[in-house]
């Protein structure tokens, strides 16, 4: 049996050695993401010599893709690993229209990118059902597009940005661990607290979980190692922030982006400022998934993604 351990900061370096070998760098699989959302999803990690496996407990038991070089994953070894993981089946997965086999003989693998899906299809000879998980697709944008907002596709976005700068005397400051200065993480957490009050996070399980993730991540900024970001100040008060991380030499992921919405155009402006001030030298911006929320999907599509990191859920009958 694999030995699953709770997600702790002490596992970061061991995990990162596996993640660096992944052929595709997903926002889901950053250690920052695992650490931030560990309580929400009940995450734990098990290590083998070449791979890390993630177990999700909530809202149903599931494992995630193996983290490592998938193309070194031998199917005989893979099958033994599948059979060594005790993952109780949940009625949540029964909505996936899987007809063959009894429920207790199925194992769910969540957040599987297309490259690994294809590899498993070609090499795993037993039955596996593939269910498209569009809500987990990650949105990929051209860094140049978001930095320049040029052309008719971005006409409305550029107007919002220009209008914001004309309407408000605004300062951009990089995020910093130094207290008492503009851009401080203390100011960020104060704004996050205020944002949560405005949106009544205590009565929204998803917003409450996100708020917890923000505090877990920002509270361990230096230990997580790869984070950077920027903020806006108006009248000496932080009114917006964006937090990102490098996925690899070409890709940046935006983990969090919050603003006081009573400043018209502020979300478009902090997006634009973050890209221009924090992502020079990168080619693509990953803005994570929409979780099947229609409003979020509409907003992400409005920025004209150039690609999606597509993911599926796999159900193995063993």
């Amino acid at each position: 049996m694999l030995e699953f351990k709770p997600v702790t900061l002490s596992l970061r370096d061991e995990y990162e050695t596996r993640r660096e070998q992944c052929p595709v760098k997903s926002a889901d699989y950053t250690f920052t993401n695992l650490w931030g959302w560990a309580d929400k999803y009940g995450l734990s990690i098990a290590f083998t010599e070449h791979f890390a496996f993630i177990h999700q407990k909530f809202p149903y038991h599931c494992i995630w893709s193996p983290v490592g070089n998938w193309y070194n994953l031998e199917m005989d070894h893979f099958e033994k690993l599948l059979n060594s993981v005790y993952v109780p089946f949940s009625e949540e997965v029964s909505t996936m229209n899987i007809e063959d086999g009894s429920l207790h003989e199925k194992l769910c693998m969540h957040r599987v990118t297309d490259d690994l899906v294809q590899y498993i299809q070609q090499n795993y000879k037993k039955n596996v059902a593939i269910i498209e998980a569009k809500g987990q697709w990650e949105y990929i944008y051209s860094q140049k597009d978001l930095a320049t907002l040029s052309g008719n596709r971005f006409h409305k976005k550029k107007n919002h940005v220009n209008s914001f700068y004309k309407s408000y005397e605004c300062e951009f400051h990089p995020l910093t661990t130094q207290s008492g200065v503009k851009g401080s993480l203390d100011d960020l957490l104060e704004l996050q607290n205020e944002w949560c009050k405005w949106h009544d996070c205590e009565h929204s399980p998803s917003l409450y979980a996100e708020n917890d993730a923000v505090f877990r991540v920002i509270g361990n900024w230096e230990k997580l190692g790869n984070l950077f970001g920027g903020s806006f100040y108006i009248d000496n008060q932080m009114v917006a922030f964006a937090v990102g991380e490098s996925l690899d030499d070409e890709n940046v992921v935006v983990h969090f982006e919050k603003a006081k919405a009573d400043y018209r155009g502020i979300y478009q402006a902090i997006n634009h400022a973050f890209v221009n001030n924090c992502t020079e030298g990168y080619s693509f911006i990953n803005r994570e998934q929409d979780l099947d929320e229609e409003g979020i999907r509409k907003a992400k599509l409005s920025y004209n993604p150039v690609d999606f990191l597509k993911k599926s859920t796999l159900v193995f009958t063993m």
Side-chain angles (χ1 to χ4, degrees), residues 214-247:
V214 172
F215 271 79
R216 282 173 63 87
V217 168
I218 302 306
N220 292 277
W221 184 276
E222 292 179 305
K223 293 179 181 178
L224 290 168
N226 299 323
L227 299 170
F228 53 84
S231 60
F232 274 157
Y233 280 73
I234 295 176
D235 295 330
N236 294 317
Q237 296 292 320
M238 186 184 287
V239 295
F241 66 82
V243 175
E245 178 177 8
S246 173
L247 289 176

